Amino acid sequence: MFIGMKKNINETVTAKKSKMSGVKIGIICAAAVLVAAGALFAIYNMRENRENKRQEIINSGVFHDGITVNGVALGGMNFEQAKAALAEQEAAIAAGLTFHLKSEIDPAFNFTLSPSTVELKLTFNTEDVLYEALSLGREGTLSQMQDEIADINNNGRALEIGFEVEDESLRAALEHAASVFDRPAADATFGIYSDFQDNIPLIKGGTTATFRRYDPLAKKMVDDEAIPENAVQEGRFYYIPEADGLVLDNEAMFTLLKDRIANRQYGDVEVLTQVTHPQVKLADVKSKFIMRSSFSTKYSRNTDRTYNLRKGAGILNATVLMPGEEFSTNERLGDRNVVSAGWKEAPGLIDGGARTNQQLGGGVCQISTTIYITVVQSDLEIVYRQQHSSKSDYVDGALDATIDSNRIDFKWKNNTNSPIIMFVWVDQSNRTMNTEIYGEPFGEISGKKFDRVEFKSKRLEILYPTNKVHYIHNSEVPNGMVKLRNKAKNGSVWEAYRIYYLGDKEVAREVENTSTYKPHDETWIYGRGWVKPTPTPLPTPTPPQTPVLPPIPTPPDETPIP
């Protein structure tokens, strides 16, 4: 039993000792945890302080002392302040980018190419450089950052901004330079004088002459103040030979200047050029420009009528019609019914061609008629034409073209692929109205070649007036008087033809028009009180009597022969 009690006591003691040891261990562990936690807290606080310092440096937004860009110290500046400080540097760089384009071939050429003289656009990398500068001393650990900042303070960091010239602006600047330098190739062309005196072109220096030159590029005639020195006169025309051109080689210049800009080599630059050649030679102009037709009509002596012919010819002379362009005689000559237009009174047809009277611009129909014949013989298109009411005495029937201000016009059209030039003039010494038309050589009709056209007509019919005599009251005739207004006049019908020839051989014929000129009865006009005579009836003719033939004699009785 004792032994059992002892065992129990020992077990109890052992248990108490074990319990006490556990408490001690717990206390020790708790203390260790507290120490460890404190150490960790101290370490955390230290790290947090360092990170805060690191973030403070990163987020300060100012450049470290010792950083320069293009020699400008940025220490203590923020981004916007630094950018503003470098604006002057950008301007200085732009001002220094200057090329002086020169040419040994053309010493007078001197073209300055810079942002201040042409729209040369520069793109700077200033912001990229500033971001790079701002990142210095702001990467890595706090110690690494502090070491780099110390190094920057001690040794400095120098950066440079760069730039690029925008390609499109450089090309545009070269185009501008080319517009000053280029001497484009000149195609051969021709020129004419707009004024003539009795079929003679006015010479160089004429005070009233206008020299008109065909511009192949603009495809129209232009007025020149002077004849080109290299022009050669042949007849009515001045021919201007072709000439090679000299232009900037813009692609080669672009490559050269890009290289010079990359290497910051500015200053004088000898331009690179290339020779250009004309497309049209003088021989081509002459071979494709011929006189297609000419025609002349005679006029009678009448001072005022001749004046009108000369005035009209002066207006129409040296007319140039471009392909597809239409010519209106009335539009060109203007209104001839007003005195202020400067036309004089001369005979003109009235009363349907029965007679003539004095009218402003009288005689100009001879101009339109002469042109009409020349136009047809030039194989050009007739847009509108009307014959006179009475056949003209200076051309055959159906070959005439009448005009009347604001009423009847004569129109034709350039239906070729080249300019048509018409000369119109009066030759007073020979009393002729003259026209010439020049243009490209003739082509074909119905697949057949031809080299000239003739305009001919023939009379188909004579139209006779009636045998009636007409009397018409007219208040302008004195009382009791009568006067002849017009005599009886025959009319006629004519047909005109375009006849195409190759040499002397007719290759085609077309009807151009059929024209009818009315006949006119004899007509008198009378004043008040005049008694119209009663027409004396013509005696009724006695019909011829049928001749009475003598009776056929009766033959005598024949006595039979025995």
Side-chain angles (χ1 to χ4, degrees):
M1 182 177 176
F2 175 79
I3 296 171
M5 290 178 64
K6 185 177 182 179
K7 182 177 178 182
N8 288 335
I9 292 170
N10 289 337
E11 287 177 353
T12 300
V13 170
T14 302
K16 287 181 177 181
K17 287 180 177 180
S18 298
K19 187 175 181 180
M20 289 299 292
S21 298
V23 171
K24 288 179 179 180
I25 293 171
I27 292 172
I28 293 170
C29 288
V33 169
L34 290 173
V35 171
L40 289 173
F41 182 74
I43 293 171
Y44 174 78
N45 278 340
M46 182 180 66
R47 286 184 175 178
E48 186 176 14
N49 289 337
R50 291 178 66 84
E51 181 61 23
N52 287 339
K53 288 183 178 180
R54 181 176 176 274
Q55 291 299 324
E56 184 179 348
I57 294 172
I58 292 173
N59 297 322
S60 68
V62 297
F63 295 89
H64 302 306
D65 290 338
I67 295 177
T68 62
V69 175
N70 283 58
V72 178
L74 304 184
M77 296 183 184
N78 62 27
F79 189 91
E80 293 302 324
Q81 290 171 336
K83 186 176 179 181
L86 292 175
E88 291 184 4
Q89 298 300 312
E90 291 180 352
I93 292 172
L97 197 161
T98 301
F99 294 105
H100 299 289
L101 307 187
K102 299 179 179 295
S103 171
E104 292 183 357
I105 299 173
D106 183 3
F109 175 73
N110 188 349
F111 187 88
T112 299
L113 191 153
S114 71
S116 63
T117 58
V118 292
E119 292 186 7
L120 199 61
K121 297 180 181 179
L122 277 61
T123 302
F124 289 92
N125 66 343
T126 305
E127 290 191 355
D128 293 338
V129 172
L130 289 178
Y131 282 124
E132 179 185 351
L134 199 59
S135 70
L136 296 175
R138 286 181 168 83
E139 295 179 351
T141 66
L142 178 61
S143 296
Q144 290 172 332
M145 292 166 58
Q146 289 173 334
D147 290 343
E148 186 175 5
I149 291 171
D151 183 63
I152 293 172
N153 286 333
N154 294 328
N155 300 312
R157 290 288 190 277
L159 288 82
E160 296 286 333
I161 59 175
F163 68 92
E164 289 185 352
V165 175
E166 293 184 10
D167 287 354
E168 290 304 314
S169 70
L170 179 57
R171 292 186 186 279
L174 287 171
E175 289 291 337
H176 189 180
S179 69
V180 178
F181 176 83
D182 284 359
R183 310 293 186 270
D187 288 336
T189 185
F190 64 89
I192 58 174
Y193 270 122
S194 62
D195 293 335
F196 281 79
Q197 290 181 350
D198 293 331
N199 196 26
I200 301 173
L202 295 176
I203 61 173
K204 292 183 181 181
T207 56
T208 61
T210 298
F211 183 72
R212 306 187 69 206
R213 173 180 52 82
Y214 178 66
D215 185 337
L217 185 63
K219 294 185 177 180
K220 65 179 183 180
M221 300 297 290
V222 296
D223 291 343
D224 281 351
E225 293 182 359
I227 303 172
E229 291 298 326
N230 60 339
V232 178
Q233 183 178 6
E234 293 185 15
R236 303 197 185 285
F237 294 86
Y238 279 84
Y239 289 103
I240 302 147
E242 71 279 3
D244 287 338
L246 185 68
V247 299
L248 286 186
D249 188 338
N250 280 3
E251 279 304 312
M253 286 296 298
F254 176 81
T255 302
L256 172 64
L257 293 184
K258 287 285 284 187
D259 183 65
R260 294 279 292 263
I261 291 170
N263 293 293
R264 307 298 188 258
Q265 297 174 342
Y266 311 132
D268 292 348
V269 177
E270 178 67 21
V271 295
L272 305 176
T273 61
Q274 57 184 354
V275 176
T276 59
H277 303 288
Q279 296 181 349
V280 181
K281 305 293 182 66
L282 183 58
D284 298 330
V285 174
K286 290 185 176 182
S287 66
K288 295 180 180 179
F289 200 70
I290 65 168
M291 185 171 74
R292 293 170 72 100
S293 178
S294 64
F295 199 78
S296 299
T297 54
K298 297 285 289 186
Y299 64 85
S300 58
R301 295 184 185 276
N302 182 305
T303 302
D304 290 342
R305 189 176 188 277
T306 301
Y307 171 87
N308 289 337
L309 292 178
R310 295 193 70 195
K311 177 178 172 64
I315 295 172
L316 301 181
N317 185 52
T319 292
V320 180
L321 252 62
M322 303 311 295
E325 189 177 356
E326 187 174 290
F327 178 97
S328 165
T329 310
N330 276 344
E331 286 182 5
R332 302 273 178 152
L333 292 179
D335 190 350
R336 299 176 297 282
N337 290 329
V338 292
V339 176
S340 60
W343 300 92
K344 295 188 176 183
E345 289 189 346
L349 290 172
I350 60 171
D351 294 334
R355 64 191 182 98
T356 64
N357 75 342
Q358 294 292 104
Q359 51 190 264
L360 290 172
V364 293
C365 288
Q366 185 164 353
I367 300 176
S368 58
T369 292
T370 310
I371 293 174
Y372 174 49
I373 296 172
T374 315
V375 167
V376 172
Q377 293 186 157
S378 297
D379 200 37
L380 300 173
E381 179 183 343
I382 303 301
V383 177
Y384 183 82
R385 167 264 175 189
Q386 183 173 320
Q387 76 272 14
H388 288 82
S389 52
S390 182
K391 179 184 169 299
S392 302
D393 57 4
Y394 46 83
V395 291
D396 287 338
L399 304 185
D400 60 323
T402 187
I403 55 174
D404 189 4
S405 285
N406 307 316
R407 199 171 67 89
I408 302 173
D409 202 357
F410 167 56
K411 299 180 179 181
W412 55 281
K413 182 178 180 180
N414 178 2
N415 57 344
T416 74
N417 297 315
S418 302
I420 287 293
I421 300 177
M422 178 178 68
F423 295 101
V424 185
W425 74 97
V426 171
D427 185 342
Q428 293 189 90
S429 60
N430 294 311
R431 298 206 310 278
T432 56
M433 180 73 237
N434 308 276
T435 57
E436 291 177 352
I437 288 180
Y438 292 79
E440 66 185 23
F442 292 113
E444 296 182 349
I445 180 171
S446 302
K448 298 178 181 178
K449 292 183 178 180
F450 65 97
D451 56 15
R452 64 186 175 93
V453 179
E454 289 189 3
F455 191 27
K456 300 292 185 183
S457 65
K458 67 178 181 180
R459 188 175 63 191
L460 303 181
E461 183 182 359
I462 298 176
L463 304 177
Y464 296 99
T466 68
N467 286 324
K468 294 181 180 180
V469 177
H470 301 277
Y471 295 90
I472 302 172
H473 175 262
N474 188 308
S475 60
E476 295 181 359
V477 178
N479 293 342
M481 300 295 293
V482 64
K483 60 186 295 187
L484 179 67
R485 191 189 76 168
N486 63 268
K487 295 180 179 180
K489 187 178 182 179
N490 290 342
S492 54
V493 180
W494 292 72
E495 191 168 74
Y497 312 89
R498 291 193 192 205
I499 309 172
Y500 297 83
Y501 289 90
L502 182 61
D504 294 329
K505 181 181 179 182
E506 180 179 331
V507 296
R509 177 182 293 239
E510 294 181 348
V511 175
E512 181 65 26
N513 74 73
T514 301
S515 299
T516 299
Y517 306 96
K518 296 186 300 182
H520 296 278
D521 293 335
E522 180 180 321
T523 302
W524 294 75
I525 53 177
Y526 61 90
R528 177 182 297 180
W530 182 81
V531 179
K532 178 180 176 181
T534 301
T536 302
L538 296 174
T540 302
T542 302
Q545 297 181 352
T546 302
V548 179
L549 297 176
I552 300 175
T554 301
D557 293 335
E558 294 182 353
T559 303
I561 298 176

